[in-house]
Amino acid sequence: MVRRVQTGGGWPAVKYTFSKAREAGGLWKLWKAMRSKNACKTCALGMGGQMGGMANERGVFPEVCKKSLQAMVADMQGAVKPDFFKTYSVAQLQAFTPRELETSGRLTVPVIHRQGDNYYQPISWDDAFAKIIGKLTTATPPVTPNETFWYFSGRSSNEAGFLLQIFARVFGTNNVNNCSFYCHQASGVGLGSVMGTGTASIVLEDLEHADLIFIIGGNPASNHPRLMSTLKNMRRKGGHVIVINPIIETGLVNFSVPSDPLSLMFGSRIASVYVQPHIGGDLALLTGVAKRIVEMNAHDETFLEKHCDHWPALKAQLARHDWDDIYRKSGVDVAAIQAIATRYAAAENVVFTWTMGITHHTYGVENVEAIANLALLRGMAGRPNAGLLPIRGHSNVQGIGSMGVTPKLKEAIFDRLQSHFGLQLPVTEGLDTLACIEAADRRELKFGFCLGGNLYGSNPDSTFAKRALGELELLVSLNTTLNTGHAHGLAKETIILPVLARDEEPQSTTQESMFNYIRLSDGGSARHVGPKSEIEVIATIASGVLGNGGPIDWESMKNTNRIREAIAKVIPGFDKIAQFGETKQEFQLDGRTFHTPHFPTPNGKAQLRVHELPRLAGGPNELRLMTIRSEGQFNTVVYEDYDLYRGVEGRFVILLHPDDLERFGLQPGQATTVRSSTGEMTNIAATSFPKIRPGNAAMYYPECNILVPRTSDPRSRTPAFKSVIVTIEPTRQKLLQREGNGVGAPIR
Ligand SMILES: Nc1nc2c(c(=O)[nH]1)N[C@H]1C(S)=C(S)[C@@H](COP(=O)(O)OP(=O)(O)OC[C@H]3O[C@@H](n4cnc5c(=O)[nH]c(N)nc54)[C@H](O)[C@@H]3O)O[C@H]1N2
Ligand SMILES: Nc1nc2c(c(=O)[nH]1)N[C@H]1C(S)=C(S)[C@@H](COP(=O)(O)OP(=O)(O)OC[C@H]3O[C@@H](n4cnc5c(=O)[nH]c(N)nc54)[C@H](O)[C@@H]3O)O[C@H]1N2
Ligand SMILES: [Mo]
């Protein structure tokens, strides 16, 4: 039974450090690994390498975060046993939970699986390379460039991302995309549409001078714990935090920052105002706050007229929306909207942050635009200490984007690539992530290459994703550990290549934080014999496919200094990276953050956007379901089956407000069947969870992705992972108990 905690962080976090240290072979060993000069492996708020892996970009030594310990200890685990792939058939691997797959050990030998075989077989590196290179060059019938796709997760370095991206283009396709299409793509598109640039408008220091921070649609206590000391410090100085979230997240109410004795003993209050809209109600709520600000005459008319386009249109639209409609479409009444508006109007330096509760909707881009509108109303962008901050997920997802890992290259990158290398790049339209899976299903694609990640596990509609990947002739993935994709997302032939983690790389690499700061990973010694560096793998394949006599000498790209020289020439703002191998000097990217109200749009003005308010999804006998992370997982990798902060045991559960349990005639703990338009899950334990807004429900990703339809935001192509319409009824079979996997999981 898990103990319900009343505060985030605190003693459990400290205790956890010691238990993880035991797994890693002792506190000293773990401490040394954590102190190595490598950028943190988890979220993009993580720490740079320059100061010994644990200081942020201002050189301040912050928290040891549980996430980074988990990721580090996972990389420090022993190798997959030599007879592992002989012992466990694919059918058995399919019955493993995500946690069991992850803890099977580090991958050290390449393996291959052929459709119809029961087992993965080891394959030598040479044979694996020959097979991949052969498929792309001499196969009959041939595989053409546009029959291939290239997926990137956000864990890899800038160098690996850049190298693979240009290889795919020179090979001849723009089917190049990254996990951002399932994550913050709506932030990039929405910020781009209003501000002219798709990343944070502030640096870390600005955040520390804010006196009001909005946390919208995210749970940083669990997913970005290092943000919590900033919030605590700000509250101590008299600042405020406004949280907008359908769930009251324990750690956003109270958080005990382990490095601060007072906070550790007594906890620190985080939220000043906590508002619970319905899932998907943010656009209406944010519009309501904007309307109220104008009614209170708390907006900055001069700023709006001087530095923004379309202010008259927005003003007229805000006046047209009526309060009843706003309430119906958000679930938030005028009194709560007034509470937010009052705090906002009183603050001087305001930072707006948001995460997946905003982007995972069919109108994610509009949600982000509404946040930007609200900030601009009071001139909270284009000056120091205030602005917009999408809280990024993966540690280098932003860098992977900067390196040009998008179907359509930015014009400047395209031109510079052509002129610097004398290349002729493809101009065909490239496919985004979801479009690749759909094209695979139509048998239009034959070959897939995944630089890290878990493409199967991160997809909506798992049944469909499995079928689509099954149509590919060859799927190659570069991974450190096993995940559900290796068991379920199998192509006709599937190759897994084991790679080194960033702190095991023989050469230094770089990563970009969500504050547009380029960080060092100095590498280290390999923990296992067998895995290769991502860069070596990519360069070997590229040189085998394209040869070395052309415009790019791929062999020479095994040296990260050569890659960085190319990055400096090709990617705007990255000039300083050319000398990085020598100086190891971390740096702030130019041209991303703006402290003056001159926006990188064609006329230098921010572009306010006008929106219709969407109706809340779902009918009277349905529930709106959000699919979320627990405190004990990192994306599709599950470290623990319990969710400490929410006090939930097991992962095959649906969290429901007691009112909804009653509405559907369910008892707490009862086995239920949850159905959506794409799938159903049986034996899901109905869990009483008073902290969720009635009418809404939550389940854990990735297990529940079978229920998530492929409905996506047309502007960002991000699936609506947080807005799944489901029905619920008791399961007739008896609820099955299974050790370790929580209540409700099928017995295998
Ligand atoms: N521990 C841990 N840390 C992580 C990760 C992890 O898996 N585990 N993943 C990393 C990655 S890639 C990412 S993208 C981030 C994700 O970080 P988050 O976005 O914080 O994570 P989620 O669990 O997807 O989203 C959860 C929050 O959104 C709220 N929410 C859901 N729907 C809505 C809505 O309609 N409106 C509003 N306002 N809120 C809503 C939920 O109640 C929940 O608190 O975390 C990164 N860090
Ligand atoms: N229903 C639902 N679905 C979602 C979401 C949701 O909230 N709900 N969230 C979405 C989001 S925000 C994201 S970002 C995606 C996540 O999508 P991905 O990024 O594709 O998935 P991860 O689970 O982070 O990938 C984990 C794997 O990365 C590998 N790995 C770890 N470190 C390294 C490394 O250094 N190099 C290499 N090559 N491999 C490494 C490990 O083998 C591990 O198994 O999922 C999306 N899917
Ligand atoms: Mo993400």
Side-chain angles (χ1 to χ4, degrees):
M1 191 53 207
V2 271
R3 196 168 60 85
R4 261 169 217 273
V5 294
Q6 302 303 325
T7 171
W11 291 111
V14 176
K15 201 171 132 224
Y16 190 84
T17 308
F18 287 99
S19 79
K20 277 284 155 188
R22 259 199 315 280
E23 277 176 51
L27 197 55
W28 174 238
K29 214 166 151 195
L30 180 59
W31 173 248
K32 247 179 47 193
M34 296 301 295
R35 288 280 296 165
S36 78
K37 291 186 174 181
N38 289 283
C40 171
K41 293 171 180 175
T42 45
C43 75
L45 194 89
M47 305 303 134
Q50 193 77 296
M51 306 293 295
M54 273 163 50
N56 68 20
E57 42 214 62
R58 297 191 56 223
V60 177
F61 187 86
E63 308 310 316
V64 176
C65 132
K66 192 171 155 178
K67 299 310 112 192
S68 46
L69 289 177
Q70 283 167 340
M72 182 59 83
V73 172
D75 284 345
M76 291 171 79
Q77 64 180 318
V80 160
K81 299 235 163 34
D83 57 357
F84 180 87
F85 289 104
K86 268 193 243 152
T87 310
Y88 298 104
S89 66
V90 166
Q92 284 171 304
L93 294 181
Q94 286 174 351
F96 275 38
T97 61
R99 183 174 58 75
E100 287 164 338
L101 287 162
E102 164 74 12
T103 53
S104 295
R106 280 290 298 275
L107 293 163
T108 55
V109 286
V111 287
I112 182 167
H113 177 263
R114 297 179 183 85
Q115 217 163 52
D117 283 2
N118 290 333
Y119 293 87
Y120 271 99
Q121 305 281 340
I123 177 172
S124 70
W125 275 103
D126 284 349
D127 290 349
F129 283 137
K131 191 152 190 74
I132 297 163
I133 293 164
K135 192 82 200 167
L136 296 174
T137 51
T138 55
T140 39
V143 173
T144 61
N146 280 329
E147 289 170 331
T148 69
F149 76 86
W150 310 76
Y151 171 77
F152 300 56
S153 174
R155 279 267 190 122
S156 302
S157 61
N158 291 328
E159 289 78 358
F162 181 79
L163 187 64
L164 184 60
Q165 182 271 115
I166 52 170
F167 165 50
R169 314 261 183 204
V170 178
F171 177 61
T173 185
N174 284 322
N175 295 341
V176 168
N177 53 65
N178 71 56
C179 61
S180 169
F181 277 103
Y182 290 166
C183 185
H184 258 301
Q185 191 70 13
S187 303
V189 177
L191 283 173
S193 116
V194 178
M195 317 288 286
T197 174
T199 59
S201 74
I202 59 166
V203 295
L204 179 59
E205 197 175 348
D206 293 322
L207 185 65
E208 287 168 2
H209 290 110
D211 61 359
L212 174 63
I213 298 180
F214 278 81
I215 308 273
I216 314 174
N219 183 19
S222 170
N223 299 327
H224 301 88
R226 278 167 174 155
L227 190 65
M228 301 314 289
S229 45
T230 305
L231 299 179
K232 170 213 71 179
N233 293 341
M234 201 196 59
R235 288 295 319 261
R236 266 197 200 154
K237 286 188 288 187
H240 290 284
V241 175
I242 294 178
V243 181
I244 298 176
N245 196 316
I247 291 180
I248 305 273
E249 301 282 15
T250 304
L252 298 183
V253 177
N254 203 305
F255 196 89
S256 303
V257 179
S259 65
D260 182 318
L262 268 182
S263 174
L264 183 60
M265 294 305 291
F266 303 109
S268 301
R269 290 203 71 74
I270 301 297
S272 319
V273 176
Y274 208 122
V275 171
Q276 281 182 286
H278 284 298
I279 290 174
D282 303 84
L283 186 49
L285 168 57
L286 293 160
T287 305
V289 178
K291 180 181 171 70
R292 199 79 194 113
I293 287 290
V294 178
E295 287 176 356
M296 290 160 69
N297 205 22
H299 60 294
D300 185 342
E301 190 89 34
T302 321
F303 179 91
L304 290 161
E305 276 168 9
K306 222 165 135 195
H307 303 297
C308 304
D309 276 341
H310 316 305
W311 165 233
L314 179 62
K315 191 174 186 176
Q317 176 81 345
L318 291 178
R320 263 199 305 278
H321 290 304
D322 77 77
W323 288 112
D324 285 345
D325 195 44
I326 289 172
Y327 175 71
R328 264 197 311 279
K329 291 172 174 171
S330 65
V332 183
D333 61 18
V334 189
I337 289 176
Q338 179 69 56
I340 300 176
T342 306
R343 282 259 182 255
Y344 183 28
E348 274 173 31
N349 297 318
V350 185
V351 172
F352 292 80
T353 76
W354 66 94
T355 3
M356 299 299 106
I358 283 297
T359 61
H360 283 169
H361 293 286
T362 52
Y363 41 90
V365 172
E366 281 84 347
N367 279 343
V368 173
E369 288 174 340
I371 295 175
N373 279 349
L374 189 57
L376 290 163
L377 267 192
R378 296 202 58 237
M380 292 295 167
R383 68 175 180 79
N385 308 333
L388 298 158
L389 177 67
I391 308 184
R392 301 277 165 186
H394 269 303
S395 55
N396 196 37
V397 63
Q398 193 167 306
I400 291 290
S402 295
M403 291 299 111
V405 181
T406 46
K408 190 167 169 36
L409 278 175
K410 289 204 173 99
E411 224 166 281
I413 302 180
F414 183 89
D415 292 345
R416 289 181 185 198
L417 260 179
Q418 297 218 113
S419 59
H420 176 65
F421 288 111
L423 297 170
Q424 205 51 49
L425 294 175
V427 288
T428 44
E429 204 176 317
L431 302 175
D432 58 66
T433 312
L434 190 56
C436 282
I437 302 293
E438 293 181 326
D441 191 56
R442 293 192 302 269
R443 300 188 189 163
E444 289 165 16
L445 299 180
K446 291 182 178 165
F447 174 91
F449 191 97
C450 299
L451 180 60
N454 179 357
L455 180 56
Y456 161 81
S458 60
N459 255 278
D461 194 350
S462 323
T463 315
F464 169 82
K466 181 174 188 143
R467 188 182 76 204
L469 292 171
E471 296 292 349
L472 293 172
E473 289 175 11
L474 179 59
L475 178 63
V476 180
S477 64
L478 273 54
N479 286 93
T480 49
T481 48
L482 284 175
N483 61 46
T484 54
H486 302 129
H488 298 276
L490 298 173
K492 299 204 165 61
E493 286 187 304
T494 306
I495 294 180
I496 313 173
L497 300 176
V499 291
L500 299 169
R502 68 173 61 129
D503 57 338
E504 303 164 349
E505 289 269 353
Q507 306 174 71
S508 60
T509 60
T510 59
Q511 284 77 28
E512 178 183 332
S513 83
M514 65 195 207
F515 297 101
N516 306 299
Y517 194 77
I518 298 300
R519 300 171 304 176
L520 161 77
S521 284
D522 213 10
S525 45
R527 297 189 174 92
H528 298 282
V529 179
K532 288 189 190 294
S533 100
E534 295 174 342
I535 288 157
E536 185 186 343
V537 174
I538 298 164
T540 305
I541 295 172
S543 102
V545 172
L546 299 169
N548 292 301
I552 299 176
D553 178 4
W554 298 100
E555 257 323 292
S556 74
M557 291 292 189
K558 286 183 180 167
N559 181 334
T560 52
N561 287 323
R562 296 294 89 70
I563 305 179
R564 282 190 290 262
E565 284 159 16
I567 294 174
K569 293 248 163 43
V570 170
I571 312 282
F574 276 76
D575 313 35
K576 292 194 197 103
I577 210 169
Q579 292 84 36
F580 195 86
E582 259 168 61
T583 61
K584 307 242 164 117
Q585 192 57 53
E586 300 186 329
F587 61 93
Q588 190 74 47
L589 284 173
D590 297 331
R592 293 276 185 86
T593 30
F594 24 98
H595 285 153
T596 56
H598 185 85
F599 302 99
T601 53
N603 67 357
K605 289 185 175 190
Q607 305 293 307
L608 297 165
R609 299 290 169 189
V610 168
H611 305 113
E612 293 304 319
L613 305 184
R615 226 173 46 81
L616 288 173
N621 297 317
E622 295 170 328
L623 284 160
R624 278 175 296 273
L625 173 77
M626 57 163 88
T627 62
I628 53 172
R629 298 156 166 76
S630 83
E631 196 266 346
Q633 74 183 89
F634 197 89
N635 294 347
T636 70
V637 178
V638 178
Y639 298 109
E640 279 127 25
D641 287 329
Y642 60 89
D643 187 347
L644 183 68
Y645 294 166
R646 299 197 186 100
V648 174
E649 179 77 77
R651 297 188 53 89
F652 292 86
V653 297
I654 181 164
L655 309 188
L656 294 171
H657 191 274
D659 290 358
D660 286 318
L661 282 174
E662 202 185 309
R663 172 156 77 108
F664 291 100
L666 300 169
Q667 297 302 314
Q670 189 170 353
T672 64
T673 299
V674 182
R675 280 197 189 87
S676 73
S677 59
T678 43
E680 75 171 45
M681 292 175 82
T682 53
N683 281 327
I684 298 300
T687 301
S688 175
F689 190 66
K691 290 182 172 173
I692 193 166
R693 176 80 192 249
N696 306 278
M699 286 177 78
Y700 293 118
Y701 136 77
E703 290 87 339
C704 69
N705 281 21
I706 205 162
L707 298 174
V708 181
R710 277 174 281 141
T711 321
S712 66
D713 175 6
R715 292 174 70 194
S716 67
R717 300 283 292 143
T718 307
F721 289 121
K722 299 283 185 273
S723 188
V724 182
I725 297 307
V726 296
T727 58
I728 187 167
E729 61 180 55
T731 301
R732 268 177 259 283
Q733 292 153 264
K734 207 169 142 271
L735 179 62
L736 306 172
Q737 296 269 356
R738 185 180 172 282
E739 188 66 22
N741 200 11
V743 190
I747 289 182
R748 61 158 207 266

